[in-house]
Amino acid sequence: MTYTRIAGTGAYLPEKVVTNQDLEKTMDTSDEWIRERTGIRRRHIAADGETCSDMAIAAAYKAMEMAGIEASDIDLIIVGTVTPDKIFPSTACIVQRRLGIHGCPALDIQAACSGFVYALDLANRFIQSGSAKNALIVGSEMLSRITNWEDRTTAVLFGDGAGAAILQPSDEPGVISTHIHSDGQYEDLLQVPSGIALGYDAVCAEKAFIQMNGNAVFRRAVATLDSIARETLAGNGIDKHDIDWLIPHQANLRIISAAAKKLDLSMDRVVVTVDDHANTSSASIPLALDTAVRDGRIQRGQLLLFEAFGAGFTWGSALIRF
Ligand code: ACO
């Protein structure tokens, strides 16, 4: 049987850092409120003119370097994003052109904060079927462009960045299992209610921004991350204590802590980057993964659990022997 292994990881964060203290100067909020409710201390914000594909490419080159491959080796590109460069072509096709490669399949996945886990699930199927040997998967987001900087209830939560991974075939797992789900009935709880059918911000400026029922999203996120973890462990007959590292979507430290508590995992086995990156949607898991791989916490052979939850709602997990 062919399995999928993560051969390399990479990340990119825009240079500009906006701290909670910076936000205190422009809106009615405080560092204390933001840290207590979310764990966030700062976020990276893209420069004017910087694009989703710019960030994706920067992260991709780092992942390629770690995997020891060239752009010409890539035979599948999947980009998870809710902030593509254009309506079409896909950001994945733009990345493909800018990497100077031609012909391989390239597509975007729009699964909000679960985009990277969805991309991993799909690329895993390509690799297991023998259709790809060097898959590039990316989560890249410019949430600052769909954030209403006058709305303190959302503006303090989000940031920009990209994370990437190169996936290759392997005789041993690798990706042990992936689990993805969605339920569209929760559309109204977390959305940017703007677009082709509804019209863009010419109709109503605030509609082009993230709108969220924070309390309802919080409750649902905690319950769903618990159920996806149980599904993943039960499906593989693995005990929760066997997990070396939990790498959850980085939305809020309280959501992450609740997920860790339910798994009986101490926080020193949870990769947390939400304090430095804020919520970067589909980029948050690969950014956290790359951070802990490069600082030496995550070692080859360890058991990793990725958990994601986002707008849709979408949710998913991946159990990985790194
Ligand atoms: N600064 C200061 N005060 C604020 C701010 C702010 N930035 N934002 C809201 N407040 C005020 C509110 O107006 C309210 O004041 P009031 O009591 O006078 O009405 C008070 O703080 C409490 O507001 P709540 O919304 O009840 O605060 P809560 O404890 O629920 O925290 C939060 C809000 C942090 C958004 C929380 O609900 C949450 O984390 N939700 C999860 C949503 C999330 O992370 N979404 C990200 C996208 S989804 C995802 O990635 C999974």
Side-chain angles (χ1 to χ4, degrees):
M1 177 155 176
T2 302
Y3 295 97
T4 302
R5 69 186 278 267
I6 298 178
T9 64
Y12 171 81
L13 289 161
E15 207 178 309
K16 182 178 171 189
V17 172
V18 174
T19 63
N20 293 345
Q21 287 78 6
D22 293 330
L23 292 180
E24 282 176 352
K25 293 175 196 147
T26 58
M27 65 183 72
D28 181 16
T29 190
S30 68
D31 173 52
E32 190 187 1
W33 192 97
I34 300 170
R35 274 192 292 106
E36 265 179 22
R37 305 288 174 124
T38 72
I40 296 166
R41 290 183 294 135
R42 60 175 77 93
R43 68 285 294 144
H44 291 252
I45 300 295
D48 290 347
E50 201 166 21
T51 65
C52 178
S53 64
D54 289 336
M55 300 196 301
I57 287 166
Y61 272 118
K62 296 256 177 62
M64 283 187 261
E65 189 184 16
M66 190 187 288
I69 65 163
E70 305 289 328
S72 56
D73 297 318
I74 291 169
D75 50 12
L76 172 68
I77 302 171
I78 306 178
V79 176
T81 187
V82 295
T83 50
D85 288 11
K86 299 178 177 179
I87 292 173
F88 67 79
S90 68
T91 301
C93 282
I94 295 170
V95 167
Q96 183 187 41
R97 171 181 62 75
R98 295 180 58 189
L99 290 177
I101 52 180
H102 309 274
C104 73
L107 66 146
D108 287 0
I109 282 192
Q110 212 279 42
C113 303
S114 308
F116 186 78
V117 169
Y118 268 60
L120 177 62
D121 176 276
L122 186 58
N124 181 39
R125 294 170 199 271
F126 272 77
I127 288 183
Q128 286 188 315
S129 71
S131 306
K133 295 210 169 348
N134 282 294
L136 167 63
I137 59 170
V138 188
S140 184
E141 302 285 11
M142 297 213 134
L143 298 179
S144 61
R145 304 269 166 86
I146 53 169
T147 296
N148 180 354
W149 290 100
E150 290 174 5
D151 174 9
R152 68 176 182 171
T153 68
T154 53
V156 301
L157 302 175
F158 301 104
D160 300 334
I166 299 291
L167 306 181
Q168 293 177 340
S170 163
D171 293 335
E172 294 171 12
V175 176
I176 297 166
S177 71
T178 55
H179 306 256
I180 56 171
H181 300 281
S182 44
D183 189 342
Q185 71 168 305
Y186 299 105
E187 176 182 349
D188 293 345
L189 293 182
L190 179 56
Q191 59 176 335
V192 179
S194 160
I196 313 286
L198 296 174
Y200 286 89
D201 50 5
V203 181
C204 180
E206 68 267 22
K207 281 192 173 178
F209 299 124
I210 297 166
Q211 294 181 9
M212 177 180 70
N213 178 331
N215 290 302
V217 172
F218 187 94
R219 283 196 303 275
R220 201 75 210 171
V222 171
T224 306
L225 290 175
D226 182 43
S227 72
I228 193 76
R230 285 174 196 277
E231 176 188 335
T232 311
L233 296 174
N236 293 287
I238 284 180
D239 187 86
K240 58 188 178 186
H241 299 108
D242 293 336
I243 297 167
D244 290 305
W245 292 102
L246 176 65
I247 306 174
H249 169 50
Q250 309 282 321
N252 181 310
L253 188 58
R254 289 189 297 151
I255 297 176
I256 295 172
S257 305
K261 197 169 173 197
K262 293 203 178 212
L263 280 171
D264 196 24
L265 270 182
S266 71
M267 285 303 285
D268 56 11
R269 284 164 65 200
V270 182
V271 181
V272 176
T273 51
V274 69
D275 50 342
D276 277 340
H277 302 168
N279 182 347
T280 58
S281 189
S282 70
S284 89
I285 288 178
L287 274 168
L289 173 66
D290 184 68
T291 300
V293 167
R294 287 181 191 266
D295 69 20
R297 274 179 289 171
I298 293 179
Q299 297 287 322
R300 285 286 171 197
Q302 289 186 323
L303 192 62
L304 316 181
L305 176 61
F306 299 173
E307 288 182 339
F309 179 83
F313 289 141
T314 59
W315 62 100
S317 66
L319 188 68
I320 292 173
R321 182 71 63 190
F322 185 66

